[in-house]
PDB file of all heavy atoms in Angstrom:
ATOM      1  N   VAL A 118     101.739 127.350  19.745  1.00 58.00           N
ATOM      2  CA  VAL A 118     101.553 128.378  18.744  1.00 58.00           C
ATOM      3  C   VAL A 118     102.671 128.174  17.734  1.00 58.00           C
ATOM      4  O   VAL A 118     103.843 128.243  18.064  1.00 58.00           O
ATOM      5  CB  VAL A 118     101.633 129.790  19.364  1.00 58.00           C
ATOM      6  CG1 VAL A 118     101.560 130.843  18.285  1.00 58.00           C
ATOM      7  CG2 VAL A 118     100.507 129.969  20.370  1.00 58.00           C
ATOM      8  N   ALA A 119     102.303 127.848  16.518  1.00 54.00           N
ATOM      9  CA  ALA A 119     103.280 127.603  15.467  1.00 54.00           C
ATOM     10  C   ALA A 119     102.727 128.135  14.153  1.00 54.00           C
ATOM     11  O   ALA A 119     101.521 128.236  13.966  1.00 54.00           O
ATOM     12  CB  ALA A 119     103.578 126.110  15.354  1.00 54.00           C
ATOM     13  N   PHE A 120     103.614 128.457  13.281  1.00 55.00           N
ATOM     14  CA  PHE A 120     103.234 128.990  11.991  1.00 55.00           C
ATOM     15  C   PHE A 120     103.946 128.205  10.901  1.00 55.00           C
ATOM     16  O   PHE A 120     105.032 127.700  11.114  1.00 55.00           O
ATOM     17  CB  PHE A 120     103.606 130.475  11.906  1.00 55.00           C
ATOM     18  CG  PHE A 120     102.893 131.300  12.941  1.00 55.00           C
ATOM     19  CD1 PHE A 120     103.494 131.601  14.146  1.00 55.00           C
ATOM     20  CD2 PHE A 120     101.594 131.744  12.713  1.00 55.00           C
ATOM     21  CE1 PHE A 120     102.824 132.339  15.114  1.00 55.00           C
ATOM     22  CE2 PHE A 120     100.913 132.483  13.673  1.00 55.00           C
ATOM     23  CZ  PHE A 120     101.533 132.779  14.875  1.00 55.00           C
ATOM     24  N   PRO A 121     103.336 128.107   9.734  1.00 58.00           N
ATOM     25  CA  PRO A 121     103.962 127.347   8.657  1.00 58.00           C
ATOM     26  C   PRO A 121     105.336 127.930   8.334  1.00 58.00           C
ATOM     27  O   PRO A 121     105.506 129.140   8.460  1.00 58.00           O
ATOM     28  CB  PRO A 121     103.003 127.499   7.492  1.00 58.00           C
ATOM     29  CG  PRO A 121     101.918 128.410   7.918  1.00 58.00           C
ATOM     30  CD  PRO A 121     102.106 128.750   9.351  1.00 58.00           C
ATOM     31  N   PRO A 122     106.297 127.133   7.977  1.00 55.00           N
ATOM     32  CA  PRO A 122     106.174 125.710   7.680  1.00 55.00           C
ATOM     33  C   PRO A 122     106.361 124.803   8.896  1.00 55.00           C
ATOM     34  O   PRO A 122     106.403 123.594   8.738  1.00 55.00           O
ATOM     35  CB  PRO A 122     107.306 125.487   6.672  1.00 55.00           C
ATOM     36  CG  PRO A 122     108.374 126.436   7.134  1.00 55.00           C
ATOM     37  CD  PRO A 122     107.631 127.641   7.661  1.00 55.00           C
ATOM     38  N   ASP A 123     106.473 125.315  10.103  1.00 56.00           N
ATOM     39  CA  ASP A 123     106.690 124.497  11.297  1.00 56.00           C
ATOM     40  C   ASP A 123     105.414 124.449  12.117  1.00 56.00           C
ATOM     41  O   ASP A 123     105.073 125.402  12.804  1.00 56.00           O
ATOM     42  CB  ASP A 123     107.830 125.087  12.134  1.00 56.00           C
ATOM     43  CG  ASP A 123     108.108 124.283  13.376  1.00 56.00           C
ATOM     44  OD1 ASP A 123     107.582 123.169  13.512  1.00 56.00           O
ATOM     45  OD2 ASP A 123     108.866 124.763  14.235  1.00 56.00           O
ATOM     46  N   TRP A 124     104.701 123.320  12.054  1.00 55.00           N
ATOM     47  CA  TRP A 124     103.453 123.168  12.792  1.00 55.00           C
ATOM     48  C   TRP A 124     103.671 122.511  14.145  1.00 55.00           C
ATOM     49  O   TRP A 124     102.758 122.351  14.923  1.00 55.00           O
ATOM     50  CB  TRP A 124     102.458 122.329  11.993  1.00 55.00           C
ATOM     51  CG  TRP A 124     102.036 123.012  10.743  1.00 55.00           C
ATOM     52  CD1 TRP A 124     102.490 122.742   9.486  1.00 55.00           C
ATOM     53  CD2 TRP A 124     101.103 124.084  10.607  1.00 55.00           C
ATOM     54  NE1 TRP A 124     101.886 123.577   8.578  1.00 55.00           N
ATOM     55  CE2 TRP A 124     101.027 124.409   9.241  1.00 55.00           C
ATOM     56  CE3 TRP A 124     100.324 124.794  11.499  1.00 55.00           C
ATOM     57  CZ2 TRP A 124     100.198 125.412   8.750  1.00 55.00           C
ATOM     58  CZ3 TRP A 124      99.505 125.786  11.007  1.00 55.00           C
ATOM     59  CH2 TRP A 124      99.450 126.082   9.654  1.00 55.00           C
ATOM     60  N   VAL A 125     104.893 122.066  14.423  1.00 60.00           N
ATOM     61  CA  VAL A 125     105.183 121.298  15.633  1.00 60.00           C
ATOM     62  C   VAL A 125     105.865 122.183  16.657  1.00 60.00           C
ATOM     63  O   VAL A 125     106.738 122.969  16.334  1.00 60.00           O
ATOM     64  CB  VAL A 125     106.082 120.083  15.288  1.00 60.00           C
ATOM     65  CG1 VAL A 125     106.404 119.285  16.530  1.00 60.00           C
ATOM     66  CG2 VAL A 125     105.397 119.211  14.258  1.00 60.00           C
ATOM     67  N   GLY A 126     105.473 122.038  17.912  1.00 64.00           N
ATOM     68  CA  GLY A 126     106.093 122.794  18.997  1.00 64.00           C
ATOM     69  C   GLY A 126     107.437 122.215  19.392  1.00 64.00           C
ATOM     70  O   GLY A 126     108.070 121.477  18.646  1.00 64.00           O
ATOM     71  N   GLU A 127     107.874 122.502  20.601  1.00 75.00           N
ATOM     72  CA  GLU A 127     109.204 122.134  21.063  1.00 75.00           C
ATOM     73  C   GLU A 127     109.319 120.700  21.556  1.00 75.00           C
ATOM     74  O   GLU A 127     110.402 120.163  21.646  1.00 75.00           O
ATOM     75  CB  GLU A 127     109.624 123.084  22.197  1.00 75.00           C
ATOM     76  CG  GLU A 127     109.692 124.537  21.782  1.00 75.00           C
ATOM     77  CD  GLU A 127     110.735 124.779  20.716  1.00 75.00           C
ATOM     78  OE1 GLU A 127     111.840 124.209  20.794  1.00 75.00           O
ATOM     79  OE2 GLU A 127     110.426 125.539  19.773  1.00 75.00           O
ATOM     80  N   CYS A 128     108.225 120.065  21.922  1.00 83.00           N
ATOM     81  CA  CYS A 128     108.273 118.757  22.567  1.00 83.00           C
ATOM     82  C   CYS A 128     107.836 117.648  21.615  1.00 83.00           C
ATOM     83  O   CYS A 128     106.724 117.672  21.083  1.00 83.00           O
ATOM     84  CB  CYS A 128     107.358 118.744  23.798  1.00 83.00           C
ATOM     85  SG  CYS A 128     107.237 117.131  24.605  1.00 83.00           S
ATOM     86  N   CYS A 129     108.713 116.691  21.365  1.00 87.00           N
ATOM     87  CA  CYS A 129     108.370 115.458  20.664  1.00 87.00           C
ATOM     88  C   CYS A 129     108.699 114.309  21.598  1.00 87.00           C
ATOM     89  O   CYS A 129     109.750 114.312  22.238  1.00 87.00           O
ATOM     90  CB  CYS A 129     109.173 115.306  19.379  1.00 87.00           C
ATOM     91  SG  CYS A 129     108.702 116.462  18.093  1.00 87.00           S
ATOM     92  N   TRP A 130     107.815 113.349  21.714  1.00 92.00           N
ATOM     93  CA  TRP A 130     108.061 112.208  22.594  1.00 92.00           C
ATOM     94  C   TRP A 130     107.542 110.942  21.925  1.00 92.00           C
ATOM     95  O   TRP A 130     106.681 110.998  21.055  1.00 92.00           O
ATOM     96  CB  TRP A 130     107.388 112.410  23.961  1.00 92.00           C
ATOM     97  CG  TRP A 130     105.897 112.452  23.916  1.00 92.00           C
ATOM     98  CD1 TRP A 130     105.106 113.549  23.685  1.00 92.00           C
ATOM     99  CD2 TRP A 130     105.005 111.349  24.056  1.00 92.00           C
ATOM    100  NE1 TRP A 130     103.790 113.195  23.680  1.00 92.00           N
ATOM    101  CE2 TRP A 130     103.693 111.847  23.908  1.00 92.00           C
ATOM    102  CE3 TRP A 130     105.178 109.986  24.296  1.00 92.00           C
ATOM    103  CZ2 TRP A 130     102.573 111.030  23.991  1.00 92.00           C
ATOM    104  CZ3 TRP A 130     104.061 109.175  24.384  1.00 92.00           C
ATOM    105  CH2 TRP A 130     102.777 109.707  24.238  1.00 92.00           C
ATOM    106  N   GLY A 131     108.087 109.826  22.303  1.00 93.00           N
ATOM    107  CA  GLY A 131     107.608 108.557  21.776  1.00 93.00           C
ATOM    108  C   GLY A 131     108.699 107.520  21.712  1.00 93.00           C
ATOM    109  O   GLY A 131     109.858 107.787  22.032  1.00 93.00           O
ATOM    110  N   SER A 132     108.310 106.334  21.295  1.00 89.00           N
ATOM    111  CA  SER A 132     109.275 105.254  21.175  1.00 89.00           C
ATOM    112  C   SER A 132     110.342 105.654  20.167  1.00 89.00           C
ATOM    113  O   SER A 132     110.050 106.227  19.122  1.00 89.00           O
ATOM    114  CB  SER A 132     108.573 103.957  20.762  1.00 89.00           C
ATOM    115  OG  SER A 132     107.727 104.163  19.658  1.00 89.00           O
ATOM    116  N   GLY A 133     111.583 105.400  20.532  1.00 87.00           N
ATOM    117  CA  GLY A 133     112.697 105.728  19.652  1.00 87.00           C
ATOM    118  C   GLY A 133     113.308 107.099  19.884  1.00 87.00           C
ATOM    119  O   GLY A 133     114.356 107.408  19.328  1.00 87.00           O
ATOM    120  N   TYR A 134     112.691 107.934  20.708  1.00 89.00           N
ATOM    121  CA  TYR A 134     113.248 109.254  21.014  1.00 89.00           C
ATOM    122  C   TYR A 134     114.118 109.184  22.262  1.00 89.00           C
ATOM    123  O   TYR A 134     113.840 108.409  23.174  1.00 89.00           O
ATOM    124  CB  TYR A 134     112.142 110.284  21.285  1.00 89.00           C
ATOM    125  CG  TYR A 134     111.382 110.731  20.068  1.00 89.00           C
ATOM    126  CD1 TYR A 134     110.180 110.151  19.722  1.00 89.00           C
ATOM    127  CD2 TYR A 134     111.875 111.758  19.268  1.00 89.00           C
ATOM    128  CE1 TYR A 134     109.468 110.560  18.608  1.00 89.00           C
ATOM    129  CE2 TYR A 134     111.175 112.182  18.147  1.00 89.00           C
ATOM    130  CZ  TYR A 134     109.980 111.574  17.832  1.00 89.00           C
ATOM    131  OH  TYR A 134     109.279 111.987  16.732  1.00 89.00           O
ATOM    132  N   ASP A 135     115.149 110.016  22.295  1.00 90.00           N
ATOM    133  CA  ASP A 135     115.943 110.189  23.510  1.00 90.00           C
ATOM    134  C   ASP A 135     115.325 111.357  24.263  1.00 90.00           C
ATOM    135  O   ASP A 135     115.426 112.503  23.839  1.00 90.00           O
ATOM    136  CB  ASP A 135     117.397 110.479  23.165  1.00 90.00           C
ATOM    137  CG  ASP A 135     118.252 110.727  24.402  1.00 90.00           C
ATOM    138  OD1 ASP A 135     117.745 110.573  25.537  1.00 90.00           O
ATOM    139  OD2 ASP A 135     119.431 111.078  24.234  1.00 90.00           O
ATOM    140  N   HIS A 136     114.662 111.069  25.373  1.00 90.00           N
ATOM    141  CA  HIS A 136     113.941 112.099  26.116  1.00 90.00           C
ATOM    142  C   HIS A 136     114.795 112.793  27.163  1.00 90.00           C
ATOM    143  O   HIS A 136     114.337 113.747  27.781  1.00 90.00           O
ATOM    144  CB  HIS A 136     112.711 111.487  26.803  1.00 90.00           C
ATOM    145  CG  HIS A 136     111.780 110.833  25.845  1.00 90.00           C
ATOM    146  ND1 HIS A 136     111.778 109.483  25.626  1.00 90.00           N
ATOM    147  CD2 HIS A 136     110.850 111.344  25.017  1.00 90.00           C
ATOM    148  CE1 HIS A 136     110.875 109.187  24.712  1.00 90.00           C
ATOM    149  NE2 HIS A 136     110.298 110.296  24.328  1.00 90.00           N
ATOM    150  N   GLY A 137     115.995 112.277  27.375  1.00 91.00           N
ATOM    151  CA  GLY A 137     116.816 112.844  28.436  1.00 91.00           C
ATOM    152  C   GLY A 137     116.060 112.759  29.745  1.00 91.00           C
ATOM    153  O   GLY A 137     115.507 111.720  30.080  1.00 91.00           O
ATOM    154  N   ASP A 138     115.996 113.865  30.471  1.00 92.00           N
ATOM    155  CA  ASP A 138     115.265 113.870  31.745  1.00 92.00           C
ATOM    156  C   ASP A 138     113.916 114.590  31.623  1.00 92.00           C
ATOM    157  O   ASP A 138     113.323 114.985  32.627  1.00 92.00           O
ATOM    158  CB  ASP A 138     116.108 114.494  32.848  1.00 92.00           C
ATOM    159  CG  ASP A 138     116.534 115.926  32.538  1.00 92.00           C
ATOM    160  OD1 ASP A 138     116.253 116.411  31.422  1.00 92.00           O
ATOM    161  OD2 ASP A 138     117.144 116.549  33.426  1.00 92.00           O
ATOM    162  N   ALA A 139     113.402 114.733  30.399  1.00 92.00           N
ATOM    163  CA  ALA A 139     112.125 115.421  30.184  1.00 92.00           C
ATOM    164  C   ALA A 139     110.975 114.660  30.835  1.00 92.00           C
ATOM    165  O   ALA A 139     110.906 113.433  30.767  1.00 92.00           O
ATOM    166  CB  ALA A 139     111.851 115.594  28.700  1.00 92.00           C
ATOM    167  N   CYS A 140     110.092 115.408  31.471  1.00 95.00           N
ATOM    168  CA  CYS A 140     108.930 114.843  32.160  1.00 95.00           C
ATOM    169  C   CYS A 140     107.646 115.441  31.595  1.00 95.00           C
ATOM    170  O   CYS A 140     107.665 116.490  30.965  1.00 95.00           O
ATOM    171  CB  CYS A 140     108.989 115.165  33.657  1.00 95.00           C
ATOM    172  SG  CYS A 140     110.370 114.397  34.503  1.00 95.00           S
ATOM    173  N   VAL A 141     106.552 114.755  31.855  1.00 95.00           N
ATOM    174  CA  VAL A 141     105.235 115.269  31.488  1.00 95.00           C
ATOM    175  C   VAL A 141     104.985 116.528  32.312  1.00 95.00           C
ATOM    176  O   VAL A 141     105.143 116.520  33.536  1.00 95.00           O
ATOM    177  CB  VAL A 141     104.135 114.218  31.775  1.00 95.00           C
ATOM    178  CG1 VAL A 141     102.757 114.796  31.503  1.00 95.00           C
ATOM    179  CG2 VAL A 141     104.371 112.951  30.958  1.00 95.00           C
ATOM    180  N   GLU A 142     104.621 117.611  31.640  1.00 93.00           N
ATOM    181  CA  GLU A 142     104.357 118.878  32.320  1.00 93.00           C
ATOM    182  C   GLU A 142     102.880 119.227  32.248  1.00 93.00           C
ATOM    183  O   GLU A 142     102.225 118.965  31.243  1.00 93.00           O
ATOM    184  CB  GLU A 142     105.157 120.004  31.662  1.00 93.00           C
ATOM    185  CG  GLU A 142     106.648 119.850  31.777  1.00 93.00           C
ATOM    186  CD  GLU A 142     107.388 120.988  31.101  1.00 93.00           C
ATOM    187  OE1 GLU A 142     106.760 122.039  30.812  1.00 93.00           O
ATOM    188  OE2 GLU A 142     108.583 120.835  30.855  1.00 93.00           O
ATOM    189  N   ALA A 143     102.369 119.824  33.311  1.00 94.00           N
ATOM    190  CA  ALA A 143     100.982 120.287  33.319  1.00 94.00           C
ATOM    191  C   ALA A 143     100.809 121.352  32.237  1.00 94.00           C
ATOM    192  O   ALA A 143     101.638 122.249  32.105  1.00 94.00           O
ATOM    193  CB  ALA A 143     100.620 120.858  34.686  1.00 94.00           C
ATOM    194  N   GLY A 144      99.750 121.217  31.462  1.00 91.00           N
ATOM    195  CA  GLY A 144      99.448 122.177  30.414  1.00 91.00           C
ATOM    196  C   GLY A 144      99.982 121.792  29.050  1.00 91.00           C
ATOM    197  O   GLY A 144      99.627 122.421  28.056  1.00 91.00           O
ATOM    198  N   LEU A 145     100.827 120.749  28.987  1.00 90.00           N
ATOM    199  CA  LEU A 145     101.344 120.291  27.702  1.00 90.00           C
ATOM    200  C   LEU A 145     100.212 119.678  26.884  1.00 90.00           C
ATOM    201  O   LEU A 145      99.399 118.918  27.403  1.00 90.00           O
ATOM    202  CB  LEU A 145     102.449 119.252  27.918  1.00 90.00           C
ATOM    203  CG  LEU A 145     103.054 118.631  26.661  1.00 90.00           C
ATOM    204  CD1 LEU A 145     103.800 119.678  25.832  1.00 90.00           C
ATOM    205  CD2 LEU A 145     104.001 117.488  27.050  1.00 90.00           C
ATOM    206  N   VAL A 146     100.135 120.032  25.612  1.00 90.00           N
ATOM    207  CA  VAL A 146      99.137 119.476  24.695  1.00 90.00           C
ATOM    208  C   VAL A 146      99.891 118.841  23.534  1.00 90.00           C
ATOM    209  O   VAL A 146     100.723 119.498  22.908  1.00 90.00           O
ATOM    210  CB  VAL A 146      98.191 120.573  24.155  1.00 90.00           C
ATOM    211  CG1 VAL A 146      97.159 119.974  23.222  1.00 90.00           C
ATOM    212  CG2 VAL A 146      97.518 121.311  25.302  1.00 90.00           C
TER     213      VAL A 146
END
Side-chain angles (χ1 to χ4, degrees):
V118 175
F120 299 95
D123 180 11
W124 295 102
V125 179
E127 299 297 319
C128 175
C129 290
W130 65 273
S132 49
Y134 287 96
D135 177 6
H136 302 98
D138 58 355
C140 295
V141 175
E142 296 180 16
L145 178 65
V146 181

